[in-house]
Amino acid sequence: MTTAAVIVAAGRGTRAGGPLPKQWQALGARPVVAHALGAFRALPDLAPLVLVLHPDDFARARALPEAAGARLVSGGATRADSVLAALEALAADPPAHVLIHDGARPLVSAELIGRVRAALAEGAEAAAPGLPVTDALWRVEGGRVAGIADRSGLVAAQTPQGFAFAPLLDAHRARSAAGQDAPDDVAVARAAGMQVTVVPGEARNLKITTAGDFLRAIRELEGGMEVRTGTGFDVHAFGPGDHVVLCGVAVPHERGLVGHSDADVGLHALADALYGALAEGDIGRHFPPSDPQWKGAASEIFLAHAAARVRARGFRIAGIDLTLVCERPKIAPHAPVMIARIGAILGLDRDRVSVKATTSERLGFTGREEGIAALATATLVAP
Ligand code: MG
């Protein structure tokens, strides 16, 4: 049984912004419609492939490698008329089935196309993907909620929509003869009495309408969000003094911490975690200890620099977790102000900043109160 595919790309929609209709705007290295065409071309037993275009777009389409071998058909005034033009182009040598797909849905998968075809092969006269509606649905009048729709049994319509060819052509001819329009081919088929089987749709199979949809599609194409994790570890020894600086907060103690800068072991571990997540070395690489200008420096400078590197590399900080290891001073009473200080330096809400402490049960150098150790983890995400 032959199955033809029709990609409908004749619309002039520019709601997504930009000078070109959305299906001709670039998504990655190729126009949106090239992604859709490529998905169908990759299935060699689907033929012929028909691309319905606005007359102005024929030259653009001929330049696409994905359109090689496709039949280019001039669309009509409405989407329904464009589909009818494609069906008429197939009518001389009719296929058994036809799949009709929106050119503005670039991320259609082979599995989804396969589900529609399988339903047709099992005898359905029409089959289309639907995605269950999960958000509540409101009817809004004058900016206010006027009613709440029952979403049970509701699905959002997707494409490709598949049909037995002959009855769909008849249905579209009847619609056109009656001077009627239709939002999609399922509506045309149902008006002619055809039964439409619903197969599971895919959230990824989004229809590009707005600029935000382009961002979503790019994220999907690139395999979703990139996540990086970095760790940092630091130690400073106790020496003479009457306070220690931890996480940018001066904490009274009978000794101080020894170091080239202010010896803020917490902020050093955190900065190293951020540099580590970026694979950009550690504090010493960015602020060499041999450079006298960092002597006695407030370590907030280092953390702020690491955070600026995170932003410059296109990441944001999803969260940080810091553990200070010491017997004394007690950290817990100071933790809230430490969290606020780190949050201010990094521009993070306090629910993304964790500062906690532990003793080492009097074991080792921290147990003997020779110094303080700190361990940090940072998680970065992009975009
Ligand atoms: Mg240090």
Side-chain angles (χ1 to χ4, degrees):
M1 273 194 301
T2 54
T3 302
V6 173
I7 311 293
V8 187
R12 298 326 269 157
T14 52
R15 256 190 296 170
L20 292 172
K22 59 193 179 182
Q23 68 272 24
W24 290 104
Q25 291 186 36
L27 178 65
R30 303 185 286 165
V32 169
V33 69
H35 292 271
L37 270 172
F40 286 85
R41 263 180 69 93
L43 303 169
D45 59 330
L46 264 183
L49 185 56
V50 179
L51 179 58
V52 195
L53 298 165
H54 189 275
D56 291 351
D57 294 333
F58 275 66
R60 271 192 199 101
R62 288 196 186 97
L64 292 179
E66 294 84 356
R71 288 192 208 168
L72 308 187
V73 171
S74 196
T78 64
R79 184 191 184 282
D81 286 342
S82 291
V83 172
L84 177 55
L87 298 178
E88 294 290 4
L90 291 167
D93 183 13
H97 296 130
V98 62
L99 306 182
I100 300 170
H101 185 66
D102 286 331
R105 292 187 190 268
L107 302 180
V108 61
S109 70
E111 293 75 19
L112 179 55
I113 296 169
R115 284 199 288 277
V116 175
R117 296 184 72 185
L120 295 174
E122 286 163 17
E125 56 184 347
L131 196 65
V133 175
T134 51
D135 292 329
L137 295 174
W138 299 334
R139 198 176 66 255
V140 177
E141 289 170 11
R144 298 196 176 174
V145 176
I148 297 173
D150 179 7
R151 70 178 175 222
S152 61
L154 287 183
V155 298
Q158 296 191 336
T159 70
Q161 298 175 354
F163 306 89
F165 179 82
L168 184 71
L169 176 58
D170 289 345
H172 260 289
R173 283 174 173 167
R175 173 200 61 74
S176 178
Q180 289 168 346
D181 194 14
D184 66 4
D185 304 291
V186 163
V188 175
R190 278 180 41 80
M194 293 172 75
Q195 297 287 321
V196 183
T197 297
V198 177
V199 302
E202 292 177 356
R204 183 181 152 88
N205 183 30
L206 72 160
K207 182 173 185 175
I208 292 192
T209 306
T210 65
D213 296 332
F214 271 95
L215 286 178
R216 262 184 73 202
I218 285 169
R219 242 174 258 152
E220 291 283 350
L221 273 177
E222 292 177 349
M225 185 176 279
E226 179 163 4
V227 180
R228 299 274 190 99
T229 302
T231 63
F233 176 71
D234 197 28
V235 172
H236 280 268
F238 283 122
D242 60 5
H243 71 281
V244 294
V245 179
L246 293 172
C247 303
V249 178
V251 177
H253 193 52
E254 70 232 31
R255 284 179 287 174
L257 289 172
V258 180
H260 186 68
S261 63
D262 63 4
D264 189 331
V265 66
L267 295 193
H268 293 183
L270 270 181
D272 277 354
L274 295 177
Y275 290 129
L278 296 171
E280 287 196 11
D282 59 14
I283 292 177
R285 177 164 139 193
H286 298 273
F287 299 90
S290 55
D291 188 336
Q293 69 170 309
W294 311 124
K295 185 160 173 54
S299 297
E300 298 186 10
I301 296 170
F302 309 147
L303 189 60
H305 177 267
R309 289 302 308 150
V310 169
R311 289 190 294 274
R313 291 277 300 276
F315 287 89
R316 67 180 175 82
I317 303 169
I320 60 100
D321 183 23
L322 177 71
T323 302
L324 297 167
V325 185
C326 59
E327 303 293 328
R328 291 186 311 135
K330 288 296 167 207
I331 302 300
H334 304 283
V337 62
M338 291 176 177
I339 288 167
R341 191 72 218 115
I342 292 168
I345 298 167
L346 297 178
L348 288 182
D349 291 337
R350 68 184 59 187
D351 68 341
R352 294 178 184 273
V353 178
S354 160
V355 173
K356 56 199 196 300
T358 182
T359 71
S360 55
E361 300 288 343
R362 300 228 151 261
L363 297 171
F365 70 87
T366 51
R368 293 188 297 271
E369 300 194 42
E370 295 167 3
I372 298 181
L375 299 106
T377 304
T379 303
L380 311 185
V381 293

